[in-house]
Amino acid sequence: MTDLGAASVEGELESFSLVELAVLRLRREILSGRTDPGERLVEEQLTRRLGISRAPLREALRRLAEQGLVEHVPRRGVRVATLSDRDVQELYDVRDVLERHAVASALPLARDTDLVGLRAALEQMRKATKAGDRLQIAEAHRRFHVAVVALAGNSQLTAIYESILVKLQLYMARNLSREAEVAQPEDGVHRHERLLAAAAAGDQEAMLTELAAHGARSYLA
């Protein structure tokens, strides 16, 4: 490879790493509640604060838009994604329907190995709770509920469910953040332990009861 070609590759790798780092940092800030839905993200401020140029910043914002965390508004720039109260309510309603359908379809389970995803997510949740890492706690909650829906063995159902969570993830994180202000850190872990126990026992009614009382949006009002 020529020196020019090597320099080009090196530049692309450096740009890629800057984009990844910007995505990770902005995603953490948004999901940790440091920025509110609808808050404007000013490019000039972000480039100074992150220490990067406009090109990798814009690519990072494009990726965050794909994840449903920011949105581009014509002639106004970029802002943290926002949904109306009605949109949030309707999305949570759809999420609830999909979860109940998955549980009704899946239980009782044919194999104990089907619970691997739930157990892994719960262990991640325990570690993140102990460390006080709110972003990882939110990710563990998301991962656990995706694993619940995946128990049904319907890949299309799981894909639809995950698309709903993409739209809701900011509001799910805000709910967890507000819960952390008034509840014990282990409360979320205990809720999911009860869900896992119900799934392991093949108790469909107990699992549906736990989901109904889960508090997924208790702190959004």
Side-chain angles (χ1 to χ4, degrees):
M1 183 180 292
T2 65
D3 290 343
L4 182 60
S8 176
V9 171
E10 184 178 346
E12 289 177 2
L13 289 174
E14 181 180 356
S15 177
F16 176 78
S17 63
L18 289 175
V19 170
E20 292 297 311
L21 289 171
V23 168
L24 289 172
R25 185 166 171 183
L26 291 172
R27 177 181 170 83
R28 178 174 287 275
E29 289 183 3
I30 292 170
L31 292 180
S32 66
R34 295 178 194 169
T35 54
D36 294 321
E39 183 174 331
R40 188 173 172 225
L41 301 176
V42 181
E43 282 192 4
E44 291 82 358
Q45 295 174 0
L46 291 176
T47 54
R48 287 197 300 270
R49 183 156 58 81
L50 298 176
I52 61 176
S53 63
R54 286 178 181 265
L57 173 64
R58 287 175 177 172
E59 175 60 19
L61 291 173
R62 185 190 68 78
R63 295 189 190 184
L64 290 169
E66 289 179 347
Q67 297 173 20
L69 292 177
V70 305
E71 54 193 10
H72 292 81
V73 182
R75 296 183 297 280
R76 296 188 62 184
V78 181
R79 68 182 183 185
V80 179
T82 184
L83 296 169
S84 69
D85 290 344
R86 180 173 180 176
D87 286 338
V88 173
Q89 176 68 45
E90 290 177 349
L91 285 166
Y92 268 111
D93 287 346
V94 173
R95 169 188 152 149
D96 293 346
V97 169
L98 295 178
E99 286 186 340
R100 290 197 302 269
H101 174 76
V103 169
S105 302
L107 297 184
L109 297 172
R111 305 175 305 275
D112 184 64
T113 52
D114 291 338
L115 296 173
V116 169
L118 294 178
R119 291 184 175 126
L122 184 57
E123 183 59 25
Q124 178 186 357
M125 198 181 302
R126 290 184 180 120
K127 291 179 179 178
T129 299
K130 186 175 182 179
D133 188 334
R134 290 187 180 180
L135 185 61
Q136 282 300 308
I137 292 171
E139 170 59 21
H141 279 242
R142 185 203 66 79
R143 185 179 171 191
F144 187 97
H145 286 269
V146 169
V148 167
V149 173
L151 292 175
N154 185 326
S155 61
Q156 296 302 316
L157 176 65
T158 302
I160 293 170
Y161 183 77
E162 287 187 298
S163 73
I164 296 296
L165 294 194
V166 166
K167 296 179 181 179
L168 278 175
Q169 60 183 330
L170 176 57
Y171 294 85
M172 292 165 62
R174 289 182 69 203
N175 186 71
L176 288 172
S177 178
R178 291 177 179 177
E179 179 186 20
E181 297 172 1
V182 298
Q184 294 299 312
E186 298 81 10
D187 286 356
V189 173
H190 295 329
R191 287 199 307 272
H192 292 83
E193 287 174 340
R194 292 193 294 271
L195 279 170
L196 175 58
D203 192 335
Q204 184 181 128
E205 183 176 350
M207 198 163 185
L208 292 174
T209 298
E210 285 295 334
L211 285 171
H214 202 62
R217 49 188 140 171
S218 300
Y219 300 92
L220 287 178

